[in-house]
Amino acid sequence: MNEVESVIVIGASAAGINCVRQLRNGGFLGDITLIDKDKNGAYERPPLSKQILMNAETTSKDVALIKDDELVAFNINTQFGACVDQVDPVSRKVTLESGEELSADVIVLATGGEARRLPIEGANLSQVLVLRNYEDAHNLRQRIKPNARVAVIGGGFIGAETTASLSQSGALVHWLDAVELPMAHLLPEALCEKIVENHCGQGVELVTNCRINKFIEQTDGQVSILFDDGTAIDVDAVVMGVGMIPETPYFSDAIKSQILNKTTGGIQVDENQATMFPGIYAAGDVAAVTQPDGSTIRHEHWQSAQYQGERTAASILNEALPPEPVDWFWSDQGDLHIEMAGKILPTKEHLVVRDEGDWPVYFSVVDNRVIGAVSVNNPNAVRAAMRMIKNDVHIEPSQLVDIEVPLRKLMRG
């Protein structure tokens, strides 16, 4: 491919913004156009279920990913509120819903995903909401009157964060999950039990092993949630926090069959964030990245999106790729700050528990090497674990358990 003189970035996400920033910081002087269908521009998504939901005065500008003056300084042509109708990866042409056509030497797809909706009768009612963008959070916040009754569906981090925030905002929250224990697919069972107990102790009503049959709108504006067992609850609003799906409506069916990973639904890319089409890259939640062992992973967290944006910029500039960081993720749930690093193996034979403070620290250990860790209100423990993972240190599990042995002493190996 010839020298790159123009770049279009679709998606003002963490991945898209970091790509733009790294391109300019790396000396790229060509044209950059940033497009996003959201009129509110570039802002952080994690605060949607926290600050924005809990504080009526918080706006998208307060959690901006990039300030307006920085966009001006970087000479970025922004089109916020512009929907992309079609992307032709062969001609590298972008068609907007307005009919405007744009083309560039490189197109970066950083469109993230859209909230998943359960295929349930009544799921299209105005009282059944999702939480994926600022307008979603603003709409939900407007409905949280004193003592409002809200049902949150989903036992993952988004469901847990939304439940905690709504509860602290004064709502009466019913937390619904299809399995026995929320977050058990993400965290050690004992830790999940303690976190859930904390939420329920603050007034949350947990309903597990439930199957929703349908939603029915009542004459007073409430919604009845009917379960398969014949029971029902009435609420003022329902929030679906059941994950997301990659957003790629701009591809034709023919292109989708070539470029999308059939397992994850994401855009297949290599270690350079490059797709099979020259000049077309994807980064962030929408990207399905091929791993050294041939497998594919599609991450859905902030740190990975930032890194992939930076790696995309390096690839476009034909520079060495930045070193890959240790996976790191956090979840703020009311008064609980949960951090995870590496890979958590919930099976007991791989868990080492360090009873440090009010909340134990859990380490995943394989062959006397830490490969993951999770803590609550103890970020220093996870920082130490990240150093252990990065340095690939050999550690006896008994040392991790012994609180008399400082973690900072262990992280150097």
Side-chain angles (χ1 to χ4, degrees), residues 271-313:
E271 69 279 2
N272 298 301
Q273 304 296 141
T275 72
M276 63 180 293
F277 294 96
I280 307 296
Y281 297 81
D285 292 358
V286 77
V289 185
T290 301
Q291 303 301 297
D293 63 2
S295 63
T296 297
I297 294 179
R298 187 176 64 79
H299 288 292
E300 295 181 11
H301 54 79
W302 181 87
Q303 184 226 34
S304 179
Q306 276 219 325
Y307 168 68
Q308 289 184 26
E310 182 180 355
R311 187 160 67 175
T312 301

Side-chain angles (χ1 to χ4, degrees), residues 17-321:
I17 294 302
N18 215 35
C19 178
V20 165
R21 186 176 276 124
Q22 293 301 322
L23 282 173
R24 286 301 192 222
N25 288 338
F28 181 70
L29 300 177
D31 295 331
I32 299 179
T33 299
L34 177 64
I35 304 172
D36 198 290
K37 66 179 181 180
D38 194 326
K39 65 181 181 181
N40 294 293
Y43 55 88
E44 301 273 11
R45 290 309 196 267
L48 292 177
S49 59
K50 296 176 276 290
Q51 296 100 303
I52 293 177
L53 197 55
M54 296 175 66
N55 186 346
E57 297 185 3
T58 303
T59 70
S60 58
K61 292 293 186 183
D62 295 321
V63 292
L65 276 165
I66 188 169
K67 301 295 185 182
D68 291 341
D69 56 356
E70 189 177 2
L71 288 169
V72 171
F74 280 156
N75 192 25
I76 307 298
N77 172 37
T78 59
Q79 294 206 35
F80 295 146
C83 294
V84 174
D85 183 62
Q86 185 177 6
V87 173
D88 183 346
V90 177
S91 63
R92 296 194 289 279
K93 182 179 293 184
V94 176
T95 304
L96 305 182
E97 282 190 356
S98 65
E100 182 181 359
E101 291 187 348
L102 307 169
S103 61
D105 297 324
V106 166
I107 296 175
V108 179
L109 303 168
T111 46
E114 56 188 14
R116 188 187 304 276
R117 285 183 176 269
L118 297 176
I120 297 172
E121 182 181 343
N124 60 343
L125 292 173
S126 62
Q127 301 93 329
V128 181
L129 312 172
V130 293
L131 196 55
R132 188 65 190 174
N133 57 45
Y134 177 77
E135 292 302 324
D136 291 336
H138 179 74
N139 188 13
L140 177 57
R141 191 172 63 195
Q142 294 296 104
R143 294 174 180 270
I144 307 306
K145 309 300 181 184
N147 297 320
R149 298 173 66 87
V150 183
V152 178
I153 303 172
F157 285 136
I158 292 299
E161 291 173 4
T162 305
T163 292
S165 295
L166 290 174
S167 178
Q168 286 200 339
S169 298
L172 305 175
V173 183
H174 301 266
W175 189 11
L176 313 181
D177 198 5
V179 299
E180 178 66 29
L181 181 63
M183 296 178 287
H185 60 300
L186 302 167
L187 301 172
E189 183 175 325
L191 182 58
C192 291
E193 290 174 346
K194 190 171 181 180
I195 293 172
V196 170
E197 181 182 355
N198 181 84
H199 295 330
C200 292
Q202 298 185 25
V204 171
E205 182 176 328
L206 179 65
V207 182
T208 58
N209 298 315
C210 61
R211 297 292 185 273
I212 300 172
N213 182 276
K214 58 184 173 181
F215 304 108
I216 300 177
E217 186 174 19
Q218 302 299 320
T219 56
D220 62 358
Q222 285 197 322
V223 174
S224 291
I225 304 175
L226 273 62
F227 299 99
D228 282 353
D229 63 4
T231 61
I233 59 173
D234 294 336
V235 296
D236 298 299
V238 177
V239 184
M240 287 192 183
V242 292
M244 56 80 72
I245 53 178
E247 188 171 11
T248 58
Y250 39 76
F251 285 139
S252 67
D253 290 342
I255 295 298
K256 285 182 179 180
S257 67
Q258 299 177 67
I259 203 170
L260 298 187
N261 179 273
K262 292 180 174 57
T263 301
T264 68
I267 300 171
Q268 189 74 56
V269 297
D270 62 16
E271 69 279 2
N272 298 301
Q273 304 296 141
T275 72
M276 63 180 293
F277 294 96
I280 307 296
Y281 297 81
D285 292 358
V286 77
V289 185
T290 301
Q291 303 301 297
D293 63 2
S295 63
T296 297
I297 294 179
R298 187 176 64 79
H299 288 292
E300 295 181 11
H301 54 79
W302 181 87
Q303 184 226 34
S304 179
Q306 276 219 325
Y307 168 68
Q308 289 184 26
E310 182 180 355
R311 187 160 67 175
T312 301
S315 297
I316 294 170
L317 296 171
N318 198 27
E319 296 179 346
L321 299 181

